[in-house]
Amino acid sequence: MSEVALNDTNVTAGAGVTRASALNRLRTTDVAFRTLTRIAVFTVLALLSGVILALIIGSVPAFKAFGFGFVTTEVWNPVTEKFGALAPVYGTLVTSFIALVIAVPVGLMIAFFLTELCPMWLRRPIGISIELLAGIPSIIYGIWGLFIFAPFVQKYIQPFLIDTFDGVPGLQDVFAGPPYGIGMLTAGFILAIMVLPFITSISRDVFDAVPAVLKEATYGLGCTTWEVFKHVILPYTRVGVIGGVMLGLGRALGETMAVTFVIGNAHTVSASILAPGTTISASIANEFTEAVGDLYTSSLIALGLILFVITFIVLAIARYMLLRLQQKGR
Amino acid sequence: MATARVNALYVRRRARNTIAKSLAYAAAAFGLGWLVLILAVLLFHGVGGLSLSVFTQNTPPPGSEGGLLNAIVGSLAMTLLAIAIGTPIGILAGTYLAEYGRHDKLSSIVRFINDILLSAPSIVVGLFIYEVMVAPMGHFSGYAGAVALAIIVIPVVVRTTEDMLRLVPDTLREAAASIGLPRAHMIVRIAYRAARAGIVTGILLAVARISGETAPLLFTALNNQFWSLNMNAPMPSLPVVIFQFALSPYEEWQKLAWTGALLITVTVLALSILARSLTARRT
């Protein structure tokens, strides 16, 4: 528009009219653009409310039929049309828990390596490589897990676990059963690899934000690198690290394709993590297109609603934690 | 005696430090190892099936040879449409957050909601579109698939657009205002130009994200065994075909699934590296 402004100043006679119309045009486009951006913002708002609303409406028949017992019932029988969410909810929580048990220590150690130990010139390439893990589509993890990882787990890891913990009270039930290869442990492990990059990159960012003076002061006292990490860096960045972990948890809870391949899709609650199970997202992915009858469909949508509520809470906590850290940094 | 104890403590601390450091090195090797392992397996299984027929023939019936042409075309069509729908909305919303309502209440709510959408389970998006598009229309369609993907595109683009516009120095904005440029024109002519590389990065990242998405397509676009450009009908896509073929007992199908997996991974990794190099050069 600068050309318009320049042209206008060069015209002297009769400039008033053209100037006024040009100004009018500018004002209209200005207001129009502003309105457009506002509409876009409200679209984003409408999307989330739309998702929540659609899920609630869709799950009404299921909750009407089963009440809140839906969440605590294990039965999942399409033939008799009895549905309960306990097995998928249990599977979702267990696989995500396994994923975190593995990914949190490893992710933190990688972040420790990247911020404190790694030579400067290697930091960027290694950091990017780890982040590329997050970019690999989940279906790739699925096909890889099914054909490569599950047979490996079946042949080596599961027999080893079963033998090792056989006879140990408590633990023998957790690691019980025939080695299927697929199951909750395998799914949890693949989830761990998938959430690793999230935990690593957020931890690295918050570790990098620790003031160098603090670290130097601790080194000055004669502390080792590990002690600096454990006693200074970790406590200082605790909130951010928890935020990162929650973000990873949010991912693990909702992850669909990778889990669907290796979970086994069995609607049972079993104490053994080697047993096949199912998760909310895997049930939906496996059964939705084949679901006949409104109640079946509605039960699957109700599962979706439960998943959405759980991830919403987890992600909200994550955002709150990370936000608190940002404000502290200011 | 005292020195002995001090020495023992010292040795213990040193040992602990060494162990922790080795664990950190091991963890890094573990992380990198998975990347290498996954890529190696993909190359090993995928390259063998890579031939011209993959790009020239449609998906075969069980037990015979074929290609992935219809799936590739379906993926491209839905991705393009999703980007065409999602990008303008995403950029405009990001613009509001960064330019008009930087500090207002609405923006902080939208920022929070956008972050939730960014990491919300993609299968839930599929359910949503099933209810609002597939069920009323009475049939699965490529349009429904594209809209589901667009919902995943929007939060990615909103986020990067806002971040990138915020990097544009305010002095540029003030300079534009001082010569009488209306705000909208300042944004389009100055701010967008300054942030162009970053905004393009966001779009590329969004493309990378949706080209591997399977869950939202399962019950929106469904799948289609045949060549189809009709977006008002069920449409095949690469990820869904991989899902179906990999879980099938037929060897030819499994082989095609690996080849498709290799194609997707190479595309996605190339896009993310391209996106990174675009912003890296700038900063």
Side-chain angles (χ1 to χ4, degrees), chain A:
Chain A
M1 285 302 116
S2 48
E3 310 93 64
V4 178
L6 282 177
N7 289 341
D8 277 1
T9 48
N10 290 340
V11 183
T12 41
V17 184
T18 44
R19 195 181 183 91
S21 70
L23 272 178
N24 258 334
R25 212 172 51 240
L26 286 183
R27 193 167 299 132
T28 336
T29 45
D30 193 33
V31 172
F33 187 75
R34 196 196 162 107
T35 318
L36 269 181
T37 61
R38 265 186 165 266
I39 293 172
V41 163
F42 282 111
T43 311
V44 175
L45 278 181
L47 276 181
L48 190 82
S49 350
V51 169
I52 297 174
L53 217 65
L55 289 176
I56 291 177
I57 293 173
S59 55
V60 163
F63 280 112
K64 242 187 201 153
F66 306 115
F68 280 96
F70 181 71
V71 188
T72 51
T73 321
E74 192 188 333
V75 194
W76 186 269
N77 193 335
V79 183
T80 57
E81 297 217 307
K82 291 266 177 293
F83 300 102
L86 187 63
V89 171
Y90 173 78
T92 303
L93 296 179
V94 170
T95 48
S96 301
F97 178 73
I98 296 172
L100 284 191
V101 166
I102 300 168
V104 170
V106 175
L108 286 181
M109 284 315 253
I110 296 179
F112 171 49
F113 170 79
L114 283 175
T115 51
E116 301 298 320
L117 303 174
C118 185
M120 272 301 174
W121 58 277
L122 263 178
R123 280 183 192 186
R124 216 176 123 75
I126 292 185
I128 289 179
S129 307
I130 300 282
E131 279 168 26
L132 283 185
L133 269 179
I136 295 179
S138 65
I139 184 133
I140 308 299
Y141 284 98
I143 182 172
W144 187 88
L146 178 68
F147 287 113
I148 311 295
F149 190 62
F152 174 80
V153 171
Q154 181 174 27
K155 208 164 168 191
Y156 301 102
I157 297 180
Q158 290 186 338
F160 170 77
L161 288 173
I162 293 169
D163 292 344
T164 313
F165 293 106
D166 189 27
V168 183
L171 284 180
Q172 71 172 346
D173 297 326
V174 176
F175 298 102
Y180 290 109
I182 53 176
M184 289 195 283
L185 179 67
T186 314
F189 200 93
I190 288 179
L191 282 179
I193 304 168
M194 297 184 72
V195 301
L196 189 62
F198 291 95
I199 296 177
T200 301
S201 68
I202 288 186
S203 314
R204 182 195 56 194
D205 291 349
V206 294
F207 290 171
D208 266 339
V210 177
V213 207
L214 273 184
K215 289 191 264 183
E216 282 157 15
T218 329
Y219 279 122
L221 290 173
C223 284
T224 61
T225 319
W226 172 243
E227 284 160 348
V228 171
F229 177 68
K230 196 175 147 199
H231 298 296
V232 176
I233 298 178
L234 260 192
Y236 189 86
T237 57
R238 195 180 49 224
V239 183
V241 168
I242 295 174
V245 170
M246 293 303 244
L247 212 59
L249 178 61
R251 284 274 159 176
L253 289 168
E255 179 47 53
T256 311
M257 298 322 291
V259 175
T260 307
F261 273 93
V262 294
I263 190 82
N265 202 34
H267 277 275
T268 48
V269 175
S270 53
S272 170
I273 60 169
L274 305 186
T278 190
T279 66
I280 292 175
S281 45
S283 301
I284 301 174
N286 267 322
E287 298 172 35
F288 197 82
T289 42
E290 290 152 20
V292 274
D294 288 343
L295 198 56
Y296 196 176
T297 312
S298 171
S299 300
L300 286 169
I301 293 175
L303 279 183
L305 178 66
I306 296 173
L307 174 67
F308 195 73
V309 170
I310 299 176
T311 42
F312 190 97
I313 295 170
V314 168
L315 292 173
I317 297 174
R319 286 297 153 197
Y320 174 72
M321 291 278 191
L322 291 172
L323 206 70
R324 239 178 71 187
L325 192 78
Q326 261 175 20
Q327 278 158 356
K328 189 174 138 194
R330 243 173 238 155

Side-chain angles (χ1 to χ4, degrees), chain B:
Chain B
M1 189 65 203
T3 44
R5 204 160 53 221
V6 167
N7 271 340
L9 181 66
Y10 180 65
V11 167
R12 207 161 54 235
R13 284 177 54 206
R14 285 284 298 269
R16 210 169 275 160
N17 188 41
T18 315
I19 292 169
K21 273 183 172 176
S22 330
L23 281 178
Y25 279 100
F30 177 84
L32 290 178
W34 284 108
L35 184 69
V36 174
L37 205 59
I38 290 171
L39 292 182
V41 167
L42 270 180
L43 281 175
F44 178 76
H45 283 278
V47 165
L50 214 55
S51 65
L52 200 62
S53 63
V54 170
F55 303 99
T56 56
Q57 290 180 18
N58 290 334
T59 45
S64 56
E65 303 270 327
L68 295 165
L69 176 65
N70 54 343
I72 294 172
V73 171
S75 273
L76 283 179
M78 284 191 284
T79 306
L80 278 179
L81 186 57
I83 292 291
I85 300 169
T87 308
I89 299 176
I91 290 183
L92 287 173
T95 306
Y96 182 88
L97 296 183
E99 300 285 342
Y100 289 115
R102 198 177 281 197
H103 302 293
D104 68 13
K105 187 112 187 173
L106 175 68
S107 292
S108 56
I109 297 171
V110 170
R111 244 172 240 130
F112 173 75
I113 282 177
N114 192 61
D115 279 343
I116 299 275
L117 280 176
L118 195 63
S119 5
S122 55
I123 191 139
V124 170
V125 173
L127 285 177
F128 170 60
I129 293 298
Y130 177 86
E131 283 199 74
V132 299
M133 279 185 80
V134 178
M137 285 164 78
H139 59 89
F140 300 99
S141 70
Y143 289 126
V147 174
L149 292 181
I151 293 181
I152 296 168
V153 168
I154 290 172
V156 180
V157 176
V158 171
R159 185 67 182 272
T160 39
T161 304
E162 192 203 346
D163 287 352
M164 290 305 151
L165 283 177
R166 277 171 164 242
L167 289 180
V168 176
D170 278 339
T171 42
L172 272 184
R173 294 192 178 92
E174 285 154 12
S178 73
I179 58 163
L181 212 53
R183 209 155 174 194
H185 300 265
M186 178 277 285
I187 293 169
V188 175
R189 302 257 171 140
I190 313 252
Y192 279 174
R193 253 179 226 187
R196 190 167 48 198
I199 295 174
V200 172
T201 302
I203 299 172
L204 285 178
L205 286 177
V207 177
R209 174 93 194 270
I210 59 171
S211 45
E213 276 292 353
T214 322
L217 293 178
L218 284 176
F219 28 81
T220 52
L222 202 67
N223 198 351
N224 190 341
Q225 194 76 46
F226 308 104
W227 168 262
S228 160
L229 276 179
N230 179 9
M231 293 203 78
N232 200 21
M235 209 168 195
S237 65
L238 212 40
V240 176
V241 166
I242 294 174
F243 178 54
Q244 188 197 344
F245 281 16
L247 286 172
S248 78
Y250 312 107
E251 205 170 305
E252 289 87 357
W253 276 16
Q254 291 184 0
K255 212 168 131 193
L256 275 176
W258 277 112
T259 310
L262 179 67
L263 288 179
I264 287 190
T265 311
V266 169
T267 314
V268 169
L269 291 188
L271 280 171
S272 4
I273 291 171
L274 182 69
R276 270 164 211 285
S277 63
L278 263 183
T279 37
R281 217 178 303 141
R282 283 242 143 187
T283 45

